[in-house]
Amino acid sequence: MNKIILSLCAASTLILAQSIINITPISVTALGIDESVQEQPLSIATKDKKEIELDQVIFQKDLLNSLSGVRIEQTGSVIGHMTSIRMPINTGPYYLFMQDGIPVQSSGFFNHNGLAYTTFQNAQSVEVLKGAGTALYGSDAVAAVVNVESAKTPSKTKEITIKAMGGSYGYGSGTISMSDTIDKNSAYSTDVSYMHSDGWRKHTRTDRVEANFRYDHTINNDNDVKIIANFSKTEAQQADSFNDYKNVTDGSTAASDDPNYYIALDKTDVTRKFDYARLSAEFSNYTFNDLEITLTPYIRYNRNRYVATWEGNLPSNDNKLYTLGFLQRNTYDQNWGKIIFGFDTEYTQSSLKYNQDFDVTTTGYNSKTYTAGALYDYDVNYFAIAPYLHIDYMLTNKLKLSPGLRYDYNSYAYTNNLTADSTDSSNTYYRPASRDDSYSHLSPKLALSYMPQKSLNIYLRYANGFRIPQATRLYSVKVGYENIKLDPETSNTYEIGLKKQLGKKASFDIAAYYMTIDDTVVRDSDTGGYRNGGSTIHKGIELSMQANITKEWHSRVSYSYSRHNYDNDPTYGDNEMSAAPNHLANARLFYIPSALKGLTMMSEWQYVGPYWMDDAHDAGKYGGYSIGNFKTDYLYSKKLKFFAKVTNITDKRYAVTARYAYHKEDYTPADPRSFYAGIEYKW
């Protein structure tokens, strides 16, 4: 079945060779196997290599913000980011970030900058499964699963590619890639890239390295193996946000307007550093008729270092994680449908050091004196295991039922390396005594798909999801929250959707969703402590349309309308949540002139609507933004390609995020107009 799907995909690719968009995309994320997106009873957005290459990806937003209902905004640390998919933009663990089908971080140690671990700048494709995940995914797959595919399929003959790119504010990058078939049973591909930027603001210099390696080997007629290695390393200076919006509109290049930030610059290294490495081996066995058995062991290393510029005392964080994981999946394919079952497990050793690097007395609200020393110092051993089952059963030749079930068990063994039940000198940070915690959850899933014709899919879907309390929420405790025990958050996603293909010319899909989240873990804006809060309701409509208008003109339009509300909250009632614009839109118009073969041009419009700056609605709304971009590439010959882009064409001054917190306004300024150009040569 998979070979048939791949053949159809290849045929459609040849037919639409001149198109920059894929009318009939294939997805691997939902069930771990290649499937036509048109046939899946869920909402999934994809972007293929051709469009990604035209995007000339520098930041995570370049890769993802053209997809319906997806909003990524960069933070002051440049490569750092926040995500909004079916939720307000946030730093919480509601998203499962993956690379090549494997999570980039353990569920108990979520980093909201998780896409920085992936080698996103060299992505081959990207997929976003919206809403709670299928039975294959557990904790953190609450609002979306984001899968970056960057392991390039090896070429049949030897290929070497060199690419260089330069741009505004000292930007420069270079990539070298190589691919070849060794013999009839073996092939490989590899790439290495380096990026540097001085940044348009002071103290925003960034250096980043990415590397990928893939080796495919056919052992015999019944067995093959795919070995993948990924590596990324980032050092990005951290600028602060602005409290005075005039600094945004005036285009100030200052790193901050907070005096405490400059105290930190004199006394500590205000830099965010991401280190990531992973090695995996996917073994596939086809010994038994209609049954594919897949075993994927992997090892992974994460390190996250930064200075918490959002805390008045500017502490530093250093978190290391070493992970051993294993994915086991079985796919039994029959005429009546298929059964997918298996389990996944991880064991992670983590160490965290949270330090006050210098003496400081904060000013303003809740001012305190902090003395240099350890604020937190602890180790955590984390274990997770989850069996799962998914069934696709054809009730008739037009009606498909897809039930699923997953059981997750997660445990922490926490060791405090400081005095048990102690506090720091400011009486702000509490260090609980060593202990063990564990959580379990059963997640049911159910979908019904009606396809009266191959080009039309009408579906209903229900998916339960959850996310366990993070290790930092359990053990990095603030004074006043010593005795609070956190429970997992649980979610229920209800969705109805329609997918329609209009021949080979166009396609569209629309999905309406209603999601509830209970026992939400919330942060006290005054103390910084965490507790289980209450419930929130998230609902909306997502629309995506792709069209090959003529041989020369193509388009992609994405739009979403959403509302995110508290549900009878003791403080905020039923208020609409902050940082949650009702409207998101992206429109792309592609021009491929027949008079100049090899040239592709794209005009892009990006819109983010107004949103509340605080949950109490005291600070009012921020107006959002609307910007335009232009991107082009020119394939001069089979070996030589030129490309360029202009972002924020009108040089609009605006904030990518705006909020009211800690009794003051807070704005992260957007990049000004920027120019980039590059060249690629193959042989």
Side-chain angles (χ1 to χ4, degrees), residues 67-140:
L67 302 179
S68 175
V70 178
R71 179 184 170 212
I72 306 291
E73 299 291 6
Q74 309 304 138
T75 64
S77 59
V78 187
I79 297 297
H81 70 90
M82 293 191 289
T83 304
S84 171
I85 306 172
R86 294 193 174 183
M87 293 194 70
I89 202 160
N90 65 82
T91 59
Y94 299 104
Y95 311 104
L96 180 61
F97 298 126
M98 303 198 302
Q99 179 156 355
D100 303 315
I102 298 176
V104 299
Q105 54 194 354
S106 295
S107 293
F109 305 89
F110 180 84
N111 178 359
H112 69 86
N113 305 289
L115 289 171
Y117 290 137
T118 71
T119 54
F120 67 89
Q121 291 175 334
N122 291 286
Q124 300 297 301
S125 65
V126 66
E127 301 179 8
V128 179
L129 193 169
K130 289 173 276 188
T134 62
L136 274 66
Y137 306 113
S139 181
D140 298 358

Side-chain angles (χ1 to χ4, degrees), residues 509-521:
D509 59 84
I510 183 170
Y513 67 90
Y514 181 92
M515 179 174 70
T516 62
I517 302 179
D518 297 317
D519 290 324
T520 53
V521 176

Side-chain angles (χ1 to χ4, degrees), residues 49 51-52 56 87 89 98 177 206 227 232 244 291 300 399 404 440 532 557:
K49 182 181 178 180
E51 191 173 355
I52 291 173
Q56 303 156 46
M87 293 194 70
I89 202 160
M98 303 198 302
S177 60
T206 303
I227 298 173
S232 67
D244 186 350
L291 178 65
R300 187 180 62 224
L399 196 63
S440 59
N532 285 102
V557 177

Side-chain angles (χ1 to χ4, degrees), residues 180 326 480 509 666:
D180 195 8
F326 186 74
D509 59 84
D666 188 87

Side-chain angles (χ1 to χ4, degrees), residues 59 61 65 71-78 80-84 89-90 200-201 240-242 245 248 579-581 584 606-612 622-627 648 652-659 666-672:
F59 306 110
K61 63 180 181 180
N65 277 2
R71 179 184 170 212
I72 306 291
E73 299 291 6
Q74 309 304 138
T75 64
S77 59
V78 187
H81 70 90
M82 293 191 289
T83 304
S84 171
I89 202 160
N90 65 82
W200 72 274
R201 297 174 67 193
D240 196 13
S241 51
F242 290 132
Y245 191 63
V248 177
L584 295 177
Q606 182 79 36
Y607 174 73
V608 173
Y611 53 88
W612 293 104
Y622 181 71
Y625 64 86
S626 175
I627 60 169
N648 190 5
K652 187 169 186 176
R653 303 295 183 174
Y654 65 96
V656 294
T657 56
R659 65 172 185 159
D666 188 87
Y667 302 94
T668 300
D671 295 343

Side-chain angles (χ1 to χ4, degrees), residues 4-19:
I4 294 174
I5 292 174
L6 289 173
S7 298
L8 291 173
C9 178
S12 63
T13 301
L14 289 173
I15 293 170
L16 302 173
Q18 296 302 312
S19 175

Side-chain angles (χ1 to χ4, degrees), residues 53 115 118 160 164 218 417 485 588 625 627 634 639 682:
E53 286 185 341
L115 289 171
T118 71
I160 300 175
T218 300
N417 297 321
K485 304 297 182 184
R588 296 181 153 200
Y625 64 86
I627 60 169
Y634 176 51
K639 293 184 176 182
K682 292 183 179 181

Side-chain angles (χ1 to χ4, degrees), residues 10-246:
S12 63
T13 301
L14 289 173
I15 293 170
L16 302 173
Q18 296 302 312
S19 175
I20 201 71
I21 56 175
N22 192 348
I23 301 298
T24 57
I26 298 295
S27 168
V28 71
T29 300
L31 299 177
I33 58 175
D34 292 309
E35 284 192 316
S36 167
V37 170
Q38 175 68 23
E39 297 178 2
Q40 294 177 324
L42 45 79
S43 179
I44 189 161
T46 67
K47 186 190 286 189
D48 292 337
K49 182 181 178 180
K50 231 176 192 181
E51 191 173 355
I52 291 173
E53 286 185 341
L54 185 59
D55 278 320
Q56 303 156 46
V57 174
I58 299 172
F59 306 110
Q60 295 93 325
K61 63 180 181 180
D62 300 331
L63 180 64
L64 288 155
N65 277 2
S66 60
L67 302 179
S68 175
V70 178
R71 179 184 170 212
I72 306 291
E73 299 291 6
Q74 309 304 138
T75 64
S77 59
V78 187
I79 297 297
H81 70 90
M82 293 191 289
T83 304
S84 171
I85 306 172
R86 294 193 174 183
M87 293 194 70
I89 202 160
N90 65 82
T91 59
Y94 299 104
Y95 311 104
L96 180 61
F97 298 126
M98 303 198 302
Q99 179 156 355
D100 303 315
I102 298 176
V104 299
Q105 54 194 354
S106 295
S107 293
F109 305 89
F110 180 84
N111 178 359
H112 69 86
N113 305 289
L115 289 171
Y117 290 137
T118 71
T119 54
F120 67 89
Q121 291 175 334
N122 291 286
Q124 300 297 301
S125 65
V126 66
E127 301 179 8
V128 179
L129 193 169
K130 289 173 276 188
T134 62
L136 274 66
Y137 306 113
S139 181
D140 298 358
V142 173
V145 177
V146 181
N147 185 24
V148 177
E149 294 281 345
S150 50
K152 182 180 178 182
T153 302
S155 58
K156 292 183 179 180
T157 58
K158 189 173 184 179
E159 290 182 0
I160 300 175
T161 303
I162 294 178
K163 181 166 65 174
M165 185 177 178
S168 301
Y169 312 107
Y171 173 84
S173 66
T175 303
I176 182 168
S177 60
M178 183 181 298
S179 181
D180 195 8
T181 295
I182 302 171
D183 55 40
K184 65 177 183 178
N185 294 321
S186 305
Y188 74 92
S189 66
T190 185
D191 60 75
V192 178
S193 66
Y194 170 73
M195 182 271 278
H196 169 84
S197 174
D198 293 331
W200 72 274
R201 297 174 67 193
K202 294 177 181 177
H203 203 71
T204 56
R205 187 185 70 244
T206 303
D207 292 279
R208 178 173 170 85
V209 176
E210 292 186 0
N212 298 292
F213 174 79
R214 171 173 167 173
Y215 173 73
D216 293 1
H217 178 65
T218 300
I219 301 170
N220 53 42
N221 290 337
D222 294 327
N223 295 277
D224 56 48
V225 61
K226 179 170 64 179
I227 298 173
I228 297 176
N230 309 114
F231 170 84
S232 67
K233 183 177 181 65
T234 304
E235 291 193 11
Q237 292 179 329
Q238 290 178 259
D240 196 13
S241 51
F242 290 132
N243 301 131
D244 186 350
Y245 191 63
K246 192 173 186 298

